[in-house]
């Protein structure tokens, strides 16, 4: 039974929203970042990068305080305003390629995260959890919702569809040519219906935002200890989520690049691969895998199709049947000597429809020795792994939509 609540969002004014909205901080190149920060004083990047104008390094705790102060300045200047009453928010993103995503922005419960009603499929890194928890504790807000998914629900889908037949509160385009719309749901009856429908959902899954979810849970535990009158209903018991039906998600693969063959010759490497794979040399033809347990490989100027010999590999659970895990267990770890996928600098990752060409270019340049292409994981694989309490290897999925920062803000 999921607890998904309306909240009083802080939002840019309609005339400023296009200027405020930003992509995730990490997605900008230094050149892009410098251009935006020097030309757009309303960008949310000015809040999360408060030391830009002074061009000097700022210690972490001081930076967090500056972020908080810059956010307060935006509110004082009227760039941001908070709604008078708690609402759900229907949000739609239409990508430049015509693909669209619609869902509901609402408050997700850290208790649900703790009790595994909100389920994860990726490991998190403890120091990153604690770092972001400290950030949240200082700044006092979420500015980018966690992407959460649930089994398709006809009632919720109907509400989203009906709401989109009305005039949105605002609509705007972003610098990557995506088009965004937001509607506010204020009807008591509709709010009650949405809340009830989510209460009838047994499991919600994190699609993107594992560290932010974990950090929010740590924040709850920290503030709970400090509050002698803790009730469980305080705003710090929740975090902002974008709830989207699982049929709306787009899941893409993450491909792998390895810098060397771990001291092996090409022939010896291929010989060891044959213990678990059937190998077909495809020459210069771009080779993209089309089914589970099949991979493409680019090595020494040639593409190969490699297919798992399933009689050589036994699946004991949902994780072991995942292609990213198969590649790790049969190639990356035993042959190429990569046991730590998070911290080994010999491996890198690429996502996107053009990544096979990028793999070829990076291997041809000599930066990497070999590249592997995978097919995307499915939502059913993700759910099965989460339901079994297992976690995927890092960079197993690239899931869209990717959400903007600063369009809705949740304060606690």
């Amino acid at each position: 039974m999921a607890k998904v609540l309306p909240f009083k969002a802080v939002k840019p004014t309609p005339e400023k929203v296009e200027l405020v909205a930003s992509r995730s901080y990490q997605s900008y190149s230094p050149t892009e970042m410098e251009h935006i920060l020097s030309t757009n004083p309303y960008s949310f990047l000015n809040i999360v990068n408060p030391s830009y104008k002074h061009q000097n390094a700022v210690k972490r705790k001081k930076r967090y305080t500056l972020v908080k102060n810059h956010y307060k300045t935006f509110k004082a200047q009227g760039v941001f305003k908070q709604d008078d009453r708690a609402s759900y928010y229907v949000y739609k993103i239409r990508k430049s390629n015509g693909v669209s995503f619609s869902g509901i922005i609402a408050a997700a419960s850290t208790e649900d995260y703790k009790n595994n009603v909100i389920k994860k499929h990726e490991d998190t890194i403890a120091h990153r959890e604690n770092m972001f928890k400290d950030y949240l504790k200082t700044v006092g807000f979420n500015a980018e919702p966690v992407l959460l998914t649930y089994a398709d629900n006809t009632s919720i889908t109907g509400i989203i569809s009906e709401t989109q037949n009305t005039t949105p509160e605002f609509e705007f385009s972003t610098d990557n040519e995506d088009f965004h719309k937001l509607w506010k749901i204020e009807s008591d009856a509709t709010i009650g219906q949405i809340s009830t429908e989510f209460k009838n959902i047994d499991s919600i899954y994190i699609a993107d935002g594992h560290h932010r979810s974990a950090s929010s849970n740590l924040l709850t535990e920290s503030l709970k200890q400090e509050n002698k009158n803790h009730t469980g209903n305080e705003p710090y018991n929740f975090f902002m989520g974008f709830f989207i039906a699982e049929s709306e998600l787009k899941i893409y693969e993450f491909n792998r690049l390895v810098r060397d063959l771990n001291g092996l010759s090409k022939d010896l490497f291929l010989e060891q691969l044959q213990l678990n794979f059937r190998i077909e040399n495809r020459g210069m033809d771009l080779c993209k895998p089309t089914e589970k347990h099949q991979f493409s490989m680019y090595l020494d100027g040639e593409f190969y199709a490699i297919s798992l010999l399933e009689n050589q590999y036994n699946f004991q659970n949902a994780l072991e049947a995942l292609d990213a895990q198969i590649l790790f267990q049969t190639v990356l770890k035993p042959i190429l000597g990569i046991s730590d996928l998070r911290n080994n600098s010999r491996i890198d990752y690429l996502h996107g429809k053009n990544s096979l060409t990028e793999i070829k270019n990076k291997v041809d340049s000599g930066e990497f020795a070999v590249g592997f292409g995978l097919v995307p994981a499915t939502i059913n694989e993700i759910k099965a792994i989460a339901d079994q309490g297992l976690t995927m290897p890092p960079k197993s999925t690239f899931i869209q939509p990717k959400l903007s920062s600063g369009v809705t803000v949740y304060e606690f």
Side-chain angles (χ1 to χ4, degrees):
M1 189 169 93
K3 191 174 185 179
V4 178
L5 300 184
F7 70 101
K8 297 178 182 179
V10 178
K11 306 191 301 295
T13 57
E15 65 272 13
K16 292 287 196 306
V17 63
E18 187 167 357
L19 296 170
V20 171
S22 72
R23 305 196 308 268
S24 175
Y25 181 85
Q26 294 86 355
S27 70
Y28 291 92
S29 69
T31 302
E32 286 179 304
M33 181 75 69
E34 182 175 0
H35 173 72
I36 293 171
L37 291 173
S38 61
T39 60
N40 179 6
Y42 298 110
S43 172
F44 195 77
L45 294 174
N46 289 286
I47 291 177
V48 295
N49 193 10
S51 60
Y52 166 75
K53 291 182 180 179
H54 305 291
Q55 294 294 323
N56 58 351
V58 177
K59 290 184 178 180
R60 185 179 297 165
K61 289 185 177 180
K62 183 177 180 181
R63 177 177 172 270
Y64 297 168
T65 301
L66 288 173
V67 170
K68 178 181 180 179
N69 291 342
H70 280 224
Y71 173 68
K72 287 183 174 180
T73 299
F74 268 50
K75 288 185 70 177
Q77 293 174 342
V79 178
F80 280 120
K81 292 184 178 180
Q82 187 167 29
D83 285 341
D84 294 330
R85 59 166 296 175
S87 305
Y88 290 112
Y89 303 88
V90 170
Y91 195 70
K92 180 176 181 178
I93 305 169
R94 190 182 74 234
K95 305 289 290 180
S96 57
N97 61 5
V99 176
S100 64
F101 307 91
S102 297
I104 292 176
I105 296 175
S109 166
T110 55
E111 183 180 10
D112 284 350
Y113 176 87
K114 183 177 179 180
N115 294 335
N116 208 35
V117 174
I118 296 176
K119 297 182 178 182
K120 61 182 181 180
H121 65 264
E122 286 185 6
D123 276 330
T124 51
I125 301 171
H127 79 85
R128 287 187 62 194
E129 289 181 22
N130 282 290
M131 181 178 68
F132 195 61
K133 181 262 291 182
D134 292 340
Y135 171 84
L136 293 174
K137 193 171 184 178
T138 301
V139 304
F141 62 79
N142 295 146
E144 180 183 334
V146 171
L147 184 62
L148 299 163
T149 190
Y150 57 90
D152 285 48
N153 178 292
T154 54
S155 294
I156 296 175
T157 299
I159 291 170
I160 292 171
S161 179
E162 289 174 13
T163 301
Q164 291 181 359
N165 290 328
T166 64
T167 302
E169 182 176 357
F170 52 63
E171 49 190 311
F172 64 96
S173 296
T174 50
D175 56 5
N176 57 357
E177 298 183 354
D178 292 348
F179 192 65
H180 301 247
K181 291 184 179 182
L182 180 138
W183 294 260
K184 182 164 59 175
I185 294 178
E186 297 182 282
S187 161
D188 289 337
T190 307
I191 287 174
Q193 186 180 357
I194 293 171
S195 176
T196 299
E197 291 298 331
F198 276 114
K199 285 179 182 177
N200 292 329
I201 294 175
D202 293 328
S203 297
I204 289 173
Y205 299 85
I206 301 172
D208 189 31
H210 284 79
H211 280 93
R212 282 174 284 145
S213 303
S215 300
S216 294
N217 183 55
L218 288 178
L219 178 69
T220 296
E221 294 303 314
S222 176
L223 295 179
K224 177 181 178 181
Q225 296 301 319
E226 296 175 13
N227 183 3
K228 294 180 180 179
N229 299 313
H230 173 84
T231 66
N233 295 318
E234 296 86 355
Y236 60 73
N237 293 284
F238 301 88
F239 59 95
M240 186 167 60
F242 182 42
F243 294 81
I244 184 170
E246 60 187 43
S247 63
E248 289 261 329
L249 291 176
K250 302 295 181 187
I251 305 173
Y252 300 92
E253 70 277 14
F254 258 112
N255 298 324
R256 273 80 170 125
L257 285 159
V258 182
R259 298 186 188 279
D260 60 73
L261 296 182
N262 197 29
L264 301 173
S265 67
K266 172 185 174 181
D267 289 341
L268 188 54
F269 173 65
L270 290 172
E271 182 179 314
Q272 293 199 25
L273 271 184
Q274 288 178 340
L275 296 174
N276 287 297
F277 294 91
R278 183 178 68 255
I279 303 174
E280 301 175 42
N281 188 322
R282 298 291 180 84
M284 292 296 295
D285 294 334
L286 283 176
C287 175
K288 187 175 179 66
T290 57
E291 57 188 50
K292 292 295 179 184
H293 314 331
Q294 180 187 86
F295 307 85
S296 66
M297 181 176 72
Y298 186 69
L299 172 69
D300 193 26
E302 295 180 305
F303 281 98
Y304 296 81
I306 62 174
S307 302
L308 182 69
L309 300 172
E310 295 194 15
N311 60 342
Q312 298 291 105
Y313 185 90
N314 296 317
F315 305 138
Q316 300 296 321
N317 52 49
L319 175 61
E320 291 187 4
L322 183 74
D323 283 346
Q325 182 71 4
I326 291 170
L327 190 67
F328 172 65
Q329 293 285 9
T330 60
V331 181
L332 299 178
K333 184 177 180 180
I335 301 177
L336 295 177
I338 298 172
S339 57
D340 184 351
L341 294 173
R342 292 189 178 277
N343 300 306
N344 195 316
S345 61
R346 292 173 55 226
I347 188 167
D348 204 353
Y349 305 89
L350 284 174
H351 65 79
K353 62 183 180 181
N354 298 320
S355 59
L356 285 180
T357 303
E358 294 178 57
I359 286 174
K360 179 181 184 303
N361 292 338
K362 287 180 176 289
V363 172
D364 287 345
S365 73
E367 183 182 359
F368 294 91
V370 63
F372 300 94
L374 291 74
V375 297
T378 66
I379 186 62
N380 287 333
E381 287 181 300
I382 293 171
K383 290 169 63 176
I385 288 168
D387 289 342
Q388 292 176 25
L390 303 169
T391 53
M392 293 180 172
K395 303 292 186 182
S396 291
T397 57
F398 178 77
I399 300 178
Q400 286 190 336
K402 298 296 181 185
L403 304 172
S404 295
S405 295
V407 178
T408 55
V409 178
Y410 176 80
E411 293 186 343
F412 40 80

